[in-house]
């Protein structure tokens, strides 16, 4: 919006780069263009400020298809004022020089009404020739092509308006119809999702089955190997028992042979010892045969002495003394016989 400075009897206009100003004085154009700055008298001047930038006009309206279905069309029209002077003459873009406030709402509203009505007219005529399915399927492109005729409209050209572009954003049916149309697609998508879920579950079940089969095969393999291990352990134990029995048999045979050898040796030793004892006894008997009774008695007493009890006192009786004397007397007589034998030339026996 331009700035108007107030002075006594005069006003100063300071324009902007986005607005095209048209200064009329006494029916003629005194100043026009963007970024203008000039002095003017408010009682003899008329100022119009036309937007010099591109303008966007959103358009939303309803149309009825050939099969009597209501659809809403949302589009956007871009336009500009190709001839601002002509637009200021055909539309109300005047501003009040006294207050500096403009009536831009009136001119913009007029442009919006003109462009919107033209766009709606072209779109309604097109939609009326299409079924709902066609409108929803290819309506956006067809409506865009139909609205392209706005640039050739004579009224817009006479008003100084140029259409720069048209965009159709959506062609949509009523809410209930749209919901009904979405239901089959939604059901199909849900069916696809369910099928994918079932397939995923089937794949998971198949994988679980394969895993279970692998586990079972592993268990069977482990059982077979365990059976082989048990059989091998039994064979090993049986072989160990056989080896132990064979070793025990060899040891028993060795012990028996050793005992037999020892018994033979012991028997031979005992036999030789017996023979030696027998020889000893025979020699003793031969010696004892030539020994007198008193010597035998003395020897017997000697052998029995260790086995007799201790004698604390000894009593000598006359019988014992007489016996001893008799023995001594008989002993003393024996040398005489021995002397006689020696004189006869017989050899004396050594005692």
């Amino acid at each position: 919006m331009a700035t108007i400075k107030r002075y006594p009897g005069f006003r100063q206009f300071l324009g902007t780069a986005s607005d095209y100003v048209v200064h009329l004085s006494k029916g003629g154009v005194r100043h026009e263009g963007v970024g203008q700055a000039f002095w003017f008298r408010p009682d003899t001047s008329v100022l119009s400020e036309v937007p010099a930038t591109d303008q966007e006009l959103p358009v939303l309206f309803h149309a009825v298809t050939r099969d009597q279905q209501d659809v809403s069309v949302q589009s956007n029209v871009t336009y500009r004022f190709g001839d601002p002077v002509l637009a200021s003459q055909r539309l109300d873009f005047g501003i009040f020089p006294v207050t500096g406030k403009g009536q831009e709402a009136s001119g913009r509203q007029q442009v919006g009404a003109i462009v919107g009505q033209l766009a709606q007219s072209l779109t309604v005529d097109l939609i009326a020739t299409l079924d709902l399915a066609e409108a929803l399927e290819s309506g956006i492109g067809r409506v865009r092509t139909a609205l392209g005729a706005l640039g050739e409209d004579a009224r817009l050209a006479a008003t100084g308006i140029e259409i720069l572009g048209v965009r159709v954003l959506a062609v949509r049916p009523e809410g209930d119809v749209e919901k009904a149309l979405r239901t089959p697609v939604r059901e199909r998508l849900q069916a696809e999702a369910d099928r994918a879920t079932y397939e995923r579950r089937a794949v998971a079940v198949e994988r679980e089955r394969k895993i279970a089969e692998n586990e079972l095969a592993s268990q069977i393999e482990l059982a077979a190997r365990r059976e082989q291990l048990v059989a091998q352990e039994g064979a090993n134990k049986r072989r160990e028992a056989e080896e132990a029995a064979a070793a025990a048999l060899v040891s028993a045979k060795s012990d028996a042979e050793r005992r037999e050898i020892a018994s033979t040796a012991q028997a031979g030793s005992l036999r030789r010892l017996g023979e030696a004892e027998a020889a000893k006894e025979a020699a003793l008997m031969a010696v004892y045969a030539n020994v007198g009774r008193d010597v035998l008695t003395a020897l017997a007493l000697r052998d029995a002495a260790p086995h007799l009890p201790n004698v604390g006192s000894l009593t000598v009786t006359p019988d014992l003394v007489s016996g001893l004397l008799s023995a001594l007397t008989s002993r003393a007589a024996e040398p005489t016989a021995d002397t006689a034998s020696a004189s006869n030339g017989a050899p004396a026996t050594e005692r």
Side-chain angles (χ1 to χ4, degrees):
M1 179 64 69
T3 301
I4 298 178
K5 295 184 178 181
R6 304 172 63 182
Y7 296 96
F10 291 93
R11 299 289 187 270
Q12 185 182 16
F13 179 87
L14 299 175
T16 62
S18 60
D19 293 318
Y20 193 100
V21 64
V22 179
H23 177 209
L24 299 178
S25 178
K26 298 180 181 181
V29 178
R30 298 290 303 274
H31 301 89
E32 64 174 311
V34 296
Q36 295 290 319
F38 53 85
W39 295 85
F40 65 92
R41 294 175 57 89
D43 53 350
T44 61
S45 299
V46 176
L47 299 179
S48 297
E49 198 173 42
V50 181
T53 57
D54 297 343
Q55 304 295 309
E56 299 289 339
L57 177 65
V59 181
L60 177 63
F61 48 85
H62 293 270
V64 179
T65 62
R66 185 171 56 188
D67 50 359
Q68 303 300 316
Q69 297 295 324
D70 186 31
V71 296
S72 60
V73 180
Q74 182 180 358
S75 61
N76 193 76
V77 180
T78 303
Y79 67 93
R80 72 182 183 89
F81 296 96
D83 190 348
V85 177
L86 182 59
S88 65
Q89 294 175 356
R90 299 294 300 271
L91 301 174
D92 186 7
F93 285 99
I95 59 176
F96 294 99
V98 178
T99 61
K101 296 180 180 179
Q103 297 175 339
E104 73 178 287
S106 176
R108 291 178 182 272
Q109 290 176 359
Q110 290 176 356
V111 173
I114 294 172
V115 175
Q117 289 177 0
L118 290 176
Q120 183 175 2
S121 176
L122 294 174
T123 305
V124 169
D125 293 342
L126 174 65
I127 295 297
T129 62
L130 302 176
D131 292 334
L132 178 62
E134 294 176 346
L136 297 179
E137 182 177 358
S138 60
I140 293 178
R142 293 189 179 186
V143 171
R144 185 187 303 112
T145 303
L147 292 180
L150 289 174
E152 302 174 357
D153 186 77
R155 182 179 179 183
L156 294 180
T159 312
I161 299 174
E162 295 181 1
I163 302 299
L164 301 179
V166 177
R167 294 186 301 277
V168 179
L169 304 180
V171 177
R172 302 182 60 180
E174 293 181 346
D176 296 339
V177 177
E178 185 176 10
K179 184 176 180 181
L181 292 175
R182 288 179 177 178
T183 300
V185 179
R186 186 181 297 110
E187 293 296 332
R188 185 175 67 255
L189 295 177
Q190 186 64 39
E192 292 293 332
D194 294 341
R195 184 178 60 81
T197 301
Y198 296 150
E199 290 179 355
R200 185 170 61 252
R201 290 179 59 185
V203 171
V205 170
E206 181 65 20
R207 290 179 178 176
E208 291 179 357
R209 184 184 63 80
K210 290 183 178 179
I211 292 173
E213 289 180 353
N214 293 334
E215 292 179 352
L216 183 59
S218 300
Q219 293 179 359
I220 293 174
E221 182 67 20
L222 290 176
R225 293 185 178 182
R226 189 178 297 111
E227 182 180 0
Q228 295 177 359
L229 177 61
V230 170
Q232 187 64 36
E233 289 179 349
N236 293 338
K237 290 182 179 180
R238 184 168 59 254
R239 188 176 304 168
E240 290 177 358
E242 292 175 354
E243 295 293 335
L249 180 59
V250 172
S251 178
K253 289 181 178 180
S254 299
D255 292 341
E257 291 176 357
R258 185 171 57 253
R259 285 194 299 271
E260 184 178 359
I261 294 171
S263 299
T264 304
Q266 185 177 6
S269 177
L270 291 176
R271 185 172 59 255
R272 287 190 296 272
L273 182 60
E275 291 175 356
E277 289 292 336
K280 176 183 177 182
E281 291 296 332
L284 286 177
M285 290 299 103
V287 173
Y288 290 158
N290 298 322
V291 176
R293 188 178 61 181
D294 54 348
V295 176
L296 295 175
T297 303
L299 291 174
L301 291 174
R302 186 193 65 182
D303 293 335
H307 303 287
L308 294 176
N310 294 329
V311 178
S313 61
L314 180 62
T315 304
V316 179
T317 60
D319 295 335
L320 178 60
V321 173
S322 60
L324 291 174
L325 290 177
S326 299
L328 291 174
T329 300
S330 60
R331 182 66 179 171
E334 291 179 0
T336 304
D338 295 336
T339 303
S341 301
S343 63
N344 292 330
T349 303
E350 187 176 357
R351 301 291 181 181

